[in-house]
Structures are given as C-alpha cells and as structure tokens.
Amino acid sequence: MKLGILTTTGLVIAMGFASGVKAENVSHVKQLLETKKCNQCDLTGAQLAGMNLSGADLSGANLRGANLNGANLDEAKLNEANLKQAKLQGASLIGAKMHGANLESADLSRANLSLAGLVIASLKNTNLTSANLIGANLESANLAGAKPEKCSPVCSEFS
C-alpha cells in the first residue's frame, strides 16, 4: 500500500516537472475569479486569456508575464500593478485605471485602451501596434522604445 502511494506521488511530481510548473498562485487566481478582487495578489504567469475581468480590482497585483490575451478588463483597477511582459493582445481595457502600472515589454497589440488612465505608467518597450489609445491619459507616462506602428492617432503625439 505504501509503495503504491509513493509511486503515485512520484508520478504526480514527475508529471508536474514534465508539463512545466505554473508560476501563478492558484488560491489567488481562484480569489480573482470568484470575487474579482485581488489586491496585491501574486498572479505571475497566470493564464487568464479571454476571461471577463471587467471591474476587477487588481491594484498592486503582480501579473508579470500573465496571459491576458483577449481578456475583458474594462473599468478594471490596475493601479501600481506589475504587468511587465504581460500578454494583452486584443484585450479590452476601456476606462481601466492603470496609474503607475508597470507595462514594460508588454504586448498590447490590438488592445483597446480608450479612456484608460495611464498616468505615470511605464510603457517602455511596449508593443502598441494597432492599439486604440483614443482618450487615454498618458500624462507623464514613459513611452521610451514603445512600438506605436499603426497605433491610433494619439500615439503619434508621443513618439
């Protein structure tokens, strides 16, 4: 009996290594999906593509490398959030509050950031290709190295 438990445990551990260990904190992902509130959460590398997170409070959350492609983050609170290297292709961030957020090297291609608040946000080396920034507040935002090709007319003011 004990041998069977040890073998099963070893198999589960081996499968975990073979499939790649996920970085996100599972309890924080569960909290976010159940309550849409996850301040200061560790969601590093979380797989949240296509999720409806409209109105979610993710202030100060660590979403570094998270996959949010196609996610609905309309009116979400992402103030001081770490979205470095996050994947946000085609995501909707209409009216999102992202003051002081770190979006360095994030992929925001085709994302809708209209009316988003990006005051003092870091968008260094961010991909903004075909992103919609109409009405976005980019006051004191760092856009060094950002790729604004085919971005809405707002981007040309900052290049």
Side-chain angles (χ1 to χ4, degrees):
M1 185 67 164
K2 288 182 182 178
L3 183 59
I5 293 170
L6 290 174
T7 304
T8 304
T9 303
L11 182 61
V12 170
I13 290 170
M15 288 182 350
F17 284 116
S19 64
V21 178
K22 291 187 178 183
E24 78 261 17
N25 181 319
V26 177
S27 65
H28 287 180
V29 171
K30 183 179 178 192
Q31 176 185 338
L32 171 63
L33 297 177
E34 289 176 357
T35 68
K36 287 194 178 180
K37 292 182 182 177
C38 210
N39 295 348
Q40 307 294 321
C41 283
D42 181 8
L43 298 165
T44 306
Q47 298 300 310
L48 300 166
M51 296 287 182
N52 181 3
L53 300 171
S54 62
D57 187 351
L58 289 158
S59 301
N62 186 357
L63 290 146
R64 182 182 181 121
N67 183 352
L68 292 153
N69 288 335
N72 179 350
L73 290 156
D74 293 345
E75 301 289 329
K77 294 176 187 165
L78 291 154
N79 296 323
E80 302 291 328
N82 181 5
L83 289 148
K84 190 171 186 176
Q85 299 172 336
K87 297 165 190 76
L88 291 146
Q89 295 176 349
S92 184
L93 292 136
I94 299 168
K97 293 159 186 66
M98 304 174 78
H99 302 274
N102 181 353
L103 290 148
E104 291 181 24
S105 301
D107 188 349
L108 287 158
S109 55
R110 298 181 323 278
N112 188 348
L113 292 149
S114 60
L115 304 174
L118 292 153
V119 175
I120 64 171
S122 178
L123 290 107
K124 286 174 58 178
N125 302 312
T126 298
N127 184 354
L128 294 167
T129 302
S130 300
N132 179 356
L133 287 161
I134 294 174
N137 186 348
L138 291 157
E139 183 180 340
S140 299
N142 184 346
L143 291 155
K147 301 173 195 159
E149 296 88 16
K150 300 177 186 169
C151 182
S152 72
V154 174
C155 293
S156 61
E157 297 174 25
F158 297 98
S159 54

